[in-house]
């Protein structure tokens, strides 16, 4: 079983990477319990891939190092994603990585358990998990863990952070174990590629079906043939 950690921290050392490592330390052994060997943890440091990520948008394809990172994410049984908060949202580097991934493989995160986390200088940005990260990974068709973890500067060493990390890591592990099945083989159902918005009836045709003057279009079909407006 593989657990992939995506960290968008920029400094060394980084509180973002520290939070990511602590979440992985809980989730990796819990995902394979009662087996003694924890899940295999791979870390993707976006700081090291910044240039390749930018070039992907201009070149149209990922460089080898970035392609390897994409492959790791796509093959993961679970993801931990952690970003610093910039301007009340996720960092541009973090968003660009997942934008480039979705262009390369739009189904890379489909059905995949994802634990979202963020770090910031003040607790006032804690809702970034709910209004930025959770919608992003729901859009990418991931299965987002109910508990997200936000760590402000004052949270390190304070009461409460350890409990949130433990709860979120355990929830991710449960989703990973459920997706892998009892024998470790994935039971994740493939999602249909068809989008419900692919077949949209033109607005003019909808108006014509209602008999609106000045519109042209075929009448709507009923169970016994075309329907015609009376009156």
């Amino acid at each position: 079983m593989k657990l992939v950690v995506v960290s968008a921290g920029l400094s060394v050392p980084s509180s973002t990477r520290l939070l990511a490592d602590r979440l992985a330390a809980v989730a990796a052994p819990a995902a394979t319990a009662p087996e003694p060997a924890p899940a295999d943890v791979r870390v993707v440091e976006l700081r090291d891939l910044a240039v390749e990520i930018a070039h992907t948008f201009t070149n149209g394809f990922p460089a080898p190092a970035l392609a390897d990172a994409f492959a790791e994410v796509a093959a993961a049984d679970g993801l931990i994603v952690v970003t610093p908060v910039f301007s009340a949202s996720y960092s541009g580097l973090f968003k660009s990585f997942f934008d480039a991934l979705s262009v390369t493989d739009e189904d890379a995160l489909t059905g995949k358990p994802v634990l979202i986390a963020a770090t910031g200088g003040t607790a006032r940005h804690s809702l970034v998990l709910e209004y930025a990260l959770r919608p992003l990974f729901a859009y990418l068709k991931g299965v987002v863990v109910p508990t997200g973890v936000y760590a402000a500067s004052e949270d390190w060493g304070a009461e409460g952070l350890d409990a949130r990390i433990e709860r979120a890591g355990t929830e991710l592990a449960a989703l990973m174990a459920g997706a892998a099945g009892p024998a470790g083989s994935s039971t994740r159902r493939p999602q249909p590629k068809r989008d419900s918005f692919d077949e949209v009836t033109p607005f003019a045709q909808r108006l014509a079906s209602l008999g609106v003057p000045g519109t042209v279009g075929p009448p709507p079909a009923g169970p016994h043939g075309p329907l015609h407006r009376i009156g």
Side-chain angles (χ1 to χ4, degrees):
M1 186 176 293
K2 181 189 291 187
L3 172 63
V4 173
V5 177
V6 179
S7 172
L10 299 179
S11 60
V12 179
S14 164
S15 60
T16 300
R17 175 61 187 272
L18 176 60
L19 179 58
D21 288 343
R22 291 184 62 178
L23 289 165
V26 173
T32 57
E35 297 295 327
D40 181 24
V41 178
R42 307 290 178 88
V43 179
V44 177
E45 279 282 9
L46 300 188
R47 181 176 61 88
D48 300 331
L49 298 170
V51 174
E52 287 85 350
I53 292 171
H55 285 172
T56 299
F57 293 101
T58 57
N59 297 341
F61 58 89
L66 184 57
D68 290 344
F70 287 166
E72 292 278 12
V73 170
D77 295 292
L79 285 178
I80 294 173
V81 298
V82 192
T83 178
V85 173
F86 291 153
S87 301
S89 189
Y90 36 61
S91 72
L93 179 62
F94 181 86
K95 179 62 159 57
S96 294
F97 175 80
F98 288 103
D99 282 345
L101 172 63
S102 64
V103 170
T104 303
D105 181 0
E106 64 179 7
D107 293 317
L109 301 187
T110 298
K112 199 180 300 295
V114 181
L115 194 168
I116 56 174
T119 59
T122 172
R124 287 177 293 180
H125 291 310
S126 60
L127 286 177
V128 69
L129 298 174
E130 306 306 324
Y131 67 71
L133 273 79
R134 195 175 297 277
L136 170 63
F137 288 97
Y139 174 79
L140 295 174
K141 295 174 281 189
V143 179
V144 185
V145 171
T147 301
V149 180
Y150 178 84
S153 298
E154 62 265 28
D155 288 328
W156 297 102
E159 184 179 357
L161 180 59
D162 288 345
R164 296 199 302 274
I165 289 173
E166 183 73 25
R167 184 168 66 248
T170 302
E171 289 173 354
L172 174 64
L175 288 174
M176 290 174 62
S185 59
S186 176
T187 58
R188 194 179 299 128
R189 295 182 180 180
Q191 300 295 313
K193 290 182 177 294
R194 180 182 175 276
D195 193 306
S196 60
F197 290 100
D198 284 344
E199 300 175 5
V200 178
T201 303
F203 187 60
Q205 185 175 330
R206 289 187 178 275
L207 292 178
S209 69
L210 297 174
V212 177
T215 59
V216 178
H224 304 291
L227 299 177
H228 296 278
R229 185 171 182 268
I230 301 176

